[in-house]
Amino acid sequence: MNKAVIAAVIIIALLVGGYFGYQSHQTKKEKALMEQRIADEQAAHERALAEAKKNAEAAAEAARLSDLKAKQEAEAAQREIARLRAEQAAAEAARRNAEEQVRFAAAERARLAKEKEQAIGEARRIAEQREREAAAAEAARKATLEKLAAAEAAQRAAADREAARLAALQTQQAVEREQAQTVVAKTRAEYEDRAVYNTDYKRRSHYNLSVEMKNAETEGQ
């Protein structure tokens, strides 16, 4: 009888030991799987965080280069406008000078015409010749004046077009700058959100793991 009891106790002990051994094995297995899962998730999160950081830095650099390009283009346009305005001012000065010469030529021709009316004989012939020369000079000055006026108008139109182009460029650059700032803000926010999530995620994962391990240990006791 004692032998049967002892055998039964041994069998029970073996069964209990096997059960707890199995439970311990399962707990260790589940712990290992959970740790692996957390490690995999953490690695994936870190890759996503690095990608978000890379995107944020790329967006910021693209915005910086865009601003630099916009500034350079605006400065170039302003220099071109200044050059065109200077040429326009020079053309205007030349036109005013030509107008003065035309007025002088007209006055000279009128004076010579009056002298011709008062002259007689050879003097009249000479006066007529001078009048014709004065008329030709006046016509030449008028032709020059027309060319200068046309050049001035062309310079003014070119300067106005460049000013209009600069205004349109600045408007477009303002829109592009706003869009770039939106992208930068969005990518930076995504990076910061991931960075905050990273800390919370690790804390929560370790907390959940510790709770499950404690539960498993309690069940095994």
Side-chain angles (χ1 to χ4, degrees):
M1 182 67 180
N2 290 335
K3 291 182 178 180
V5 171
I6 292 172
V9 170
I10 292 173
I11 291 172
I12 293 171
L14 290 174
L15 291 174
V16 171
Y19 171 77
F20 285 116
Y22 173 78
Q23 287 293 100
S24 176
H25 173 73
Q26 286 296 107
T27 299
K28 290 179 180 179
K29 182 179 179 180
E30 291 175 359
K31 176 183 176 183
L33 291 174
M34 185 175 296
E35 289 177 344
Q36 184 60 46
R37 186 189 67 185
I38 291 175
D40 292 343
E41 291 178 352
Q42 185 62 26
H45 176 72
E46 288 175 355
R47 287 194 297 271
L49 180 61
E51 183 66 20
K53 182 179 180 181
K54 179 181 177 181
N55 291 339
E57 291 174 348
E61 179 64 9
R64 186 187 70 80
L65 292 176
S66 178
D67 282 343
L68 178 61
K69 180 181 178 182
K71 181 179 179 181
Q72 291 173 342
E73 289 179 348
E75 290 175 349
Q78 289 171 347
R79 287 194 298 270
E80 181 64 9
I81 290 173
R83 185 186 68 81
L84 292 171
R85 294 300 186 195
E87 291 182 355
Q88 176 193 341
E92 181 179 359
R95 176 183 59 78
R96 292 182 182 280
N97 183 60
E99 288 177 345
E100 184 63 25
Q101 290 181 3
V102 168
R103 285 194 293 270
F104 175 80
E108 182 67 9
R109 183 174 59 81
R111 184 184 68 79
L112 291 173
K114 185 176 181 180
E115 287 182 359
K116 182 194 69 175
E117 294 299 327
Q118 296 174 351
I120 57 175
E122 182 63 17
R124 183 179 181 86
R125 186 187 67 78
I126 294 173
E128 289 176 348
Q129 179 63 26
R130 289 178 177 176
E131 182 184 12
R132 287 192 294 270
E133 291 173 355
E138 181 184 1
R141 287 185 173 86
K142 285 183 177 180
T144 300
L145 176 59
E146 291 177 357
K147 292 180 180 179
L148 291 173
E152 179 188 358
Q155 291 293 340
R156 182 182 296 105
D160 291 343
R161 284 195 302 271
E162 186 63 17
R165 190 184 74 83
L166 175 59
L169 178 64
Q170 290 175 333
T171 299
Q172 179 183 353
Q173 289 171 349
V175 173
E176 292 177 351
R177 186 178 298 108
E178 183 177 355
Q179 292 174 343
Q181 290 174 348
T182 300
V183 172
V184 170
K186 182 179 179 181
T187 53
R188 183 178 291 124
E190 290 177 353
Y191 169 68
E192 292 174 351
D193 288 345
R194 289 181 183 275
V196 172
Y197 173 72
N198 180 34
T199 304
D200 293 343
Y201 175 79
K202 290 174 67 177
R203 185 182 297 113
R204 184 168 60 254
S205 297
H206 289 302
Y207 174 78
N208 293 340
L209 176 61
S210 64
V211 170
E212 292 179 8
M213 289 176 63
K214 289 180 179 178
N215 292 338
E217 291 175 358
T218 301
E219 292 176 357
Q221 293 177 351

